[in-house]
């Protein structure tokens, strides 16, 4: 018996097939999920709107079309008015342009908040899971405390405490709000990553790496984190709608985005005053918010199924 | 020359365990206090000579895998010592130990769990080479191809991912990874148990061929006695964290001196219906006792057929038997090893096999 004994039949079949990387496999399964594809398309449109918003917008978000307003008897213009596709608000500002500005704010929230969540949650969770014992206990009790603290109160307190500083004044105070939302949101990410690391740490391929003599740091970076990335991507995608919603809520109650900038939350807030006579001022921003939230959720659910290692290679 | 990465050339055993213990704490209560310990390995001494293959058998949960891992310090021993080429592994710094890992490797049971699903086969096999800076660039790729060829895989598949391979092929990848550092000693932790029967022979023969070609030393862990007999020079039998018998394969299989060894052997079917009908088998009653609370005296007495036959002698319950010589190159931990040796349980006695002794 020689050592050169590849099973010939199997080898031929394999040779004829293209290389299937785990990523390609996940993408293929994502593409088969219709809802997720629709979600992904809307998300891409939303991103495009946020980036190209100012270029796309027929009006500047703070410009008042006073002429048209006067012509309409100082009442908000209804949808499908000439020059104003979705009408205007009571000050004659183009609603479509303001929605685009809101998209920009929502996407900024999504990005900034998730970056903060990742930057804090992943290292904390990875350290707790990897080192275990006392480190784990310390870090997890700390996250429990953060988790137990009322989010809204924390955000308001931060807002008050740092209002006068450079961070507080950056981006009309928005950056501070975003950071605050992120600072309350990393807790779930830390727990998720810790759980992943705990289970991966016991896996045989990590043991194999240890037997080879790979350093701890490299084991975490090369073996553990890449294998934990699936659930993290899902958590980030599903965390975006709650961040957007948090910002909308803050803006709705008046501590978020300040006029003249428009967030979907503050647009809804403004609109409620005219809800009886001009329902479009509430309906359109609410619709935009709902569509964005649903798209991210659909995409997140689809990613979760596509990245599930148990389903790898199927369908 | 580097004393860590190069053999001292001493005549002593390559690998040696001396009273090795691995206890896992059992934590309980809100404060996670230590409530006791699972004594997975509880005082095992075992030495393996250069070029030798020692088989290790025993029921599930007897601690054989833990012993194998502790011997290359993948598990932290709680007592005793493990030595490699004369060096106490516990005294090495983390750095020295990492470098020593070049000389000792492990092949795992589960060919699915032991390969990182996010790495290509080429990267998996290259990792040990990179870690120990054995080669880089083109030389590294060439070495990976060479290793894949050595284990009988087409080097073309270096770009592919583990999930595209069958169990047997994955196990070959695991073997290639272990060989990448040119080790002297390999712990084979049930390397074929998880494979299809049709593939088991292929992988087993691969391991045997490699041993000859590369002059490897194996600790071969399995629960299939026939497989162990096929590959081992010596065989050790474990029960509940202790080594209960060890000796030259031929001796142990022909004349087992411990009741547990005989019970294990009696469970292996003989491929001869005439002999199979005549020989005596014992089925061990009940489960293995908890390793957190092993029985006093001889750990095996709660399930021992010999203990029952001899009328439950007291010293089995009170005195823990030590491994003692019971024949040429054979040691057993049983007070009544002589009685076990002459029993008809588990093996085919010459009288039974006589009509067909031709082979």
């Amino acid at each position: 018996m020689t050592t050169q004994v590849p099973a010939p039949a199997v080898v031929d079949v394999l040779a004829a097939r293209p290389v299937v990387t785990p990523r390609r496999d996940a993408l293929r399964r994502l593409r088969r999920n219709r809802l997720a594809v629709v979600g992904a398309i809307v998300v891409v449109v939303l991103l495009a709107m946020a980036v190209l918003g100012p270029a796309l917008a027929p009006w500047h978000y703070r410009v008042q079309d006073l002429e048209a307003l006067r012509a309409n008897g100082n009442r908000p213009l209804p949808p499908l008015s000439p020059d104003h596709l979705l009408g205007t608000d009571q000050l004659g500002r183009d609603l479509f342009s303001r929605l685009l500005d809101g998209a920009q704010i929502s996407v900024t929230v999504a990005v900034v908040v998730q970056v903060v969540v990742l930057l804090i949650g992943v290292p904390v969770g990875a350290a707790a899971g990897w080192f275990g014992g006392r480190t784990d206990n310390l870090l997890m009790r700390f996250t429990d405390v953060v988790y137990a603290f009322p989010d809204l109160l924390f955000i308001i307190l931060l807002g008050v405490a740092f209002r006068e500083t450079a961070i507080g004044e950056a981006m009309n105070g928005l950056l501070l709000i975003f950071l605050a939302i992120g600072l309350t949101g990393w807790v779930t990410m830390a727990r998720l990553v810790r759980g992943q690391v705990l289970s991966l740490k016991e896996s045989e391929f990590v043991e194999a790496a240890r037997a080879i003599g790979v350093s701890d740091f490299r084991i975490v970076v090369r073996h553990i984190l890449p294998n934990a990335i699936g659930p993290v991507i899902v958590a980030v995608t599903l965390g975006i709608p709650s961040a957007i919603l948090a910002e909308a809520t803050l803006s709705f109650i008046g501590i978020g985005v300040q006029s003249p900038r428009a967030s979907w939350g503050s647009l809804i807030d403004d609109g409620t005053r005219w809800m009886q006579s001009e329902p479009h001022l509430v309906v359109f921003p609410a619709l935009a918010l709902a569509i964005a939230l649903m798209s991210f959720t659909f995409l997140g659910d689809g990613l979760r199924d596509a990245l599930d290692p148990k389903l790898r290679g199927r369908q | 020359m580097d004393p860590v990465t190069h053999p001292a050339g001493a005549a002593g055993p390559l690998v040696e365990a001396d009273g090795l213990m691995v206890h896992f704490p059992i934590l309980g209560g809100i404060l996670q206090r230590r409530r006791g310990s699972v004594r997975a390995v509880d005082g095992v001494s075992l030495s393996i000579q250069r070029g030798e293959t020692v088989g290790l058998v025993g029921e599930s949960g007897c601690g054989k895998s833990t012993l194998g891992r502790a011997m290359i310090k993948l598990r932290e021993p709680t007592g005793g010592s493990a030595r490699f080429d004369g060096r106490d592994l516990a005294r090495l710094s983390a750095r020295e130990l990492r470098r020593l890992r070049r000389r000792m490797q492990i092949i795992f049971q589960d060919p699915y769990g032991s390969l990182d699903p996010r790495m290509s086969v080429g990267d998996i096999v290259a990792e040990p080479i990179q870690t120990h800076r054995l080669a880089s660039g083109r030389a590294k790729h060439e070495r990976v191809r060479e290793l894949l060829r050595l284990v009988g895989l087409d080097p073309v598949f270096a770009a592919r991912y583990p999930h595209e391979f069958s169990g047997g092929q994955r196990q070959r990848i695991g073997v290639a990874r272990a060989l990448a550092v040119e080790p002297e000693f390999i712990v084979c932790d049930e390397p074929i148990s998880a494979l299809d029967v049709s593939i088991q022979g292929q992988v087993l023969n691969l391991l045997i061929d490699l041993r000859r070609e590369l002059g490897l030393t194996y600790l071969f862990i399995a629960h299939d006695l026939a497989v162990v007999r096929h590959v081992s020079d010596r065989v050790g039998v474990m029960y509940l964290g202790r080594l209960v018998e060890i000796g030259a394969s031929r001796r142990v299989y022909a004349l087992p001196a411990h009741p547990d060894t005989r019970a294990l052997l009696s469970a292996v079917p003989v491929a001869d219906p005439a002999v199979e009908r005549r020989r005596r088998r014992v089925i061990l009653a009940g489960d293995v006792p908890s390793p957190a609370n092993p029985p006093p005296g001889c750990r095996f007495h709660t399930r021992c057929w010999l203990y029952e036959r001899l009328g439950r002698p007291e010293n089995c319950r009170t005195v823990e038997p030590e491994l003692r010589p019971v024949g040429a190159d054979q040691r057993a931990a049983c007070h009544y090893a002589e009685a076990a040796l002459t029993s008809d349980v588990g093996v085919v006695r010459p009288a039974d096999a006589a009509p067909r002794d031709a082979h």
Side-chain angles (χ1 to χ4, degrees):
Chain A
M1 185 129 205
T2 69
T3 55
Q4 316 283 328
V5 279
V10 181
V11 167
D12 288 342
V13 171
L14 251 184
R17 251 180 12 204
V19 176
V20 183
T21 63
R23 187 178 305 160
R24 210 179 282 179
D25 189 43
L27 262 179
R28 186 179 55 90
R29 260 177 298 134
L30 186 65
R31 271 204 304 270
R32 290 183 185 224
N33 183 338
R34 233 172 253 169
L35 224 45
V37 171
V38 171
I41 292 172
V42 177
V43 165
V44 169
V45 169
L46 193 66
L47 288 176
M49 277 167 62
V51 176
L52 306 171
L56 285 176
W59 298 78
H60 190 270
Y61 64 85
R62 61 190 298 176
V63 168
Q64 296 170 267
D65 189 359
L66 293 173
E67 232 168 275
L69 197 65
R70 241 188 318 266
N72 198 36
N74 278 335
R75 290 168 47 82
L77 266 67
L80 300 175
S81 307
D83 295 341
H84 301 285
L85 186 62
L86 300 181
T88 68
D89 64 6
Q90 74 282 7
L91 299 176
R93 295 177 295 196
D94 184 57
L95 185 58
F96 180 62
S97 306
R98 288 180 70 71
L99 281 178
L100 282 178
D101 188 46
Q104 196 167 31
I105 284 173
S106 289
V107 168
T108 316
V109 170
V111 172
V112 174
V113 169
Q114 294 312 315
V115 166
V116 173
V117 163
L118 285 173
L119 282 180
I120 303 176
V122 171
V124 168
W130 181 256
F131 294 111
R134 189 171 292 215
T135 315
D136 183 23
N137 239 322
L138 210 74
L139 288 172
M140 283 302 114
R141 292 304 79 78
F142 176 63
T143 54
D144 286 347
V145 169
V146 176
Y147 194 70
F149 206 81
D151 290 0
L152 206 55
L153 185 60
F154 179 75
I155 294 166
I156 294 170
L157 281 177
L158 268 187
V160 173
F162 289 94
R163 202 178 337 183
E164 310 292 313
T165 66
I167 304 174
E169 274 156 19
M171 299 169 60
N172 283 341
L174 280 185
L175 188 64
L176 182 59
I177 295 293
F178 297 169
L179 286 178
I181 298 174
L183 283 177
T184 59
W186 62 268
V187 180
T188 25
M189 180 61 72
R191 287 185 170 172
L192 174 82
V193 171
R194 171 180 175 267
Q196 288 287 315
V197 172
L198 273 181
S199 73
L200 288 167
K201 176 166 90 158
E202 301 300 327
S203 67
E204 282 201 334
F205 63 79
V206 166
E207 190 143 44
R210 215 178 268 147
I212 285 164
V214 181
S215 67
D216 279 17
F217 181 76
R218 272 183 78 85
I219 288 178
V220 172
V221 171
R222 267 193 76 142
H223 296 283
I224 295 202
L225 290 182
N227 280 286
I229 204 93
V232 169
I233 290 176
V234 173
V236 164
T237 317
L238 291 176
I240 287 173
S242 41
I244 292 179
L245 201 58
E247 179 276 325
T249 308
L250 290 173
S251 297
F252 180 76
I253 61 175
I255 52 174
V257 171
Q258 303 299 323
S259 195
R261 285 220 75 168
S263 141
W264 292 340
S266 60
L267 285 175
I268 295 173
D269 178 34
D270 291 344
T272 48
R273 278 166 235 163
W274 303 79
M275 207 152 61
Q276 300 299 321
S277 53
E278 313 293 340
H280 73 277
L281 288 179
V282 172
V283 169
F284 288 120
L287 213 57
L289 187 61
I291 290 173
L293 297 184
M294 279 200 295
S295 307
F296 275 108
T297 309
F298 288 154
L299 178 61
D301 284 346
L303 281 172
R304 188 183 54 208
D305 292 342
L307 294 170
D308 187 341
K310 285 191 209 92
L311 299 173
R312 187 169 292 152
R314 298 244 191 92
Q315 284 174 353
Chain B
M1 266 222 269
D2 190 321
V4 174
T5 53
H6 289 86
L14 182 60
V15 195
E16 208 177 0
D18 188 13
L20 199 62
M21 285 192 255
V22 183
H23 294 182
F24 297 108
I26 306 171
L27 304 175
I30 331 171
L31 292 173
Q32 293 293 294
R33 289 244 171 86
R34 189 179 179 125
R35 286 191 164 171
S37 38
V38 173
R39 302 151 117 182
V41 176
D42 205 15
V44 171
S45 300
L46 174 69
S47 58
I48 305 175
Q49 305 297 324
R50 276 163 227 279
E52 187 184 33
T53 294
V54 172
L56 202 55
V57 296
E59 291 173 283
S60 305
C62 69
K64 50 191 194 297
S65 281
T66 310
L67 173 64
R69 280 158 207 231
M71 286 183 84
I72 57 171
K73 217 181 176 216
L74 275 183
R75 290 278 177 283
E76 203 66 44
T78 34
S81 70
R83 277 192 293 277
F84 185 87
D85 200 10
R87 302 173 66 97
D88 189 340
L89 296 184
R91 294 206 185 154
L92 295 176
S93 70
R95 228 186 118 94
E96 285 175 313
L97 181 68
R98 274 212 298 279
R99 277 159 63 211
L100 194 62
R101 297 216 174 277
R102 241 201 96 174
R103 299 174 60 191
M104 48 194 199
Q105 278 300 306
I106 177 166
I107 297 167
F108 295 92
Q109 171 178 10
D110 177 9
Y112 293 85
S114 55
L115 304 176
D116 187 337
R118 301 231 148 234
M119 280 167 82
S120 72
V121 169
D123 287 341
I124 289 171
V125 178
E127 187 169 40
I129 302 172
Q130 278 167 327
T131 304
H132 294 279
R133 299 199 176 84
L134 303 178
S136 63
R138 281 187 74 88
K140 186 181 78 185
H141 287 294
E142 198 35 60
R143 175 77 178 131
V144 169
R145 294 168 62 84
E146 186 188 321
L147 284 161
L148 290 177
R149 266 193 299 267
L150 183 66
V151 298
L153 287 171
D154 190 328
V156 177
F157 300 137
R160 294 185 178 273
Y161 286 79
H163 71 264
E164 301 178 79
F165 293 87
S166 68
Q169 289 174 316
R170 289 178 188 219
Q171 199 59 299
R172 287 167 190 272
I173 298 166
V175 173
R177 170 178 60 192
L179 293 176
V181 291
E182 299 168 48
E184 291 151 63
F185 175 58
I186 300 183
V187 174
C188 304
D189 186 9
E190 309 211 22
I192 64 171
S193 327
L195 302 179
D196 238 44
V197 179
S198 57
I199 309 294
Q200 289 189 344
Q202 285 183 20
V203 173
L204 192 62
N205 283 325
L206 171 68
L207 291 173
I208 292 172
D209 291 339
L210 290 171
R211 176 178 65 187
R212 197 188 53 230
E213 284 167 34
L214 307 173
L216 298 169
T217 304
Y218 285 156
L219 176 65
F220 197 96
I221 302 166
H223 51 239
D224 184 333
L225 287 120
V227 168
V228 169
R229 172 184 218 164
H230 187 53
V231 299
S232 312
D233 302 310
R234 282 194 299 144
V235 183
V237 181
M238 278 187 80
Y239 185 79
L240 221 57
R242 302 277 286 190
L243 199 58
V244 295
E245 177 161 7
I246 183 156
S249 290
R250 249 178 305 125
R251 266 297 288 193
V252 172
Y253 278 90
L255 279 173
H258 194 282
D260 184 32
T261 316
R262 289 195 169 247
L264 288 173
L265 280 171
S266 86
V268 180
V270 176
D272 179 338
V275 176
E276 179 69 25
R277 239 174 281 128
R278 249 172 306 163
R279 73 186 185 124
R280 283 195 67 117
R281 302 180 54 189
V282 280
I283 312 287
L284 290 183
D287 285 327
V288 186
S290 162
N293 185 20
C298 173
R299 291 174 186 215
F300 190 57
H301 85 263
T302 53
R303 302 171 72 204
C304 184
W305 52 271
L306 188 61
Y307 172 69
E308 298 296 333
R309 263 194 206 180
L310 295 174
R312 308 185 169 212
E314 200 199 335
N315 59 347
C316 291
R317 289 191 303 273
T318 52
V319 183
E320 179 147 23
E322 292 296 320
L323 267 181
R324 62 189 172 93
V326 291
D329 202 3
Q330 183 178 19
R331 287 179 299 148
C334 175
H335 296 306
Y336 299 98
E338 288 71 20
L341 272 171
T342 53
S343 120
D344 59 348
V345 167
V347 291
V348 183
R349 287 188 305 180
D352 297 334
R356 292 169 185 265
D357 214 19
H359 66 274

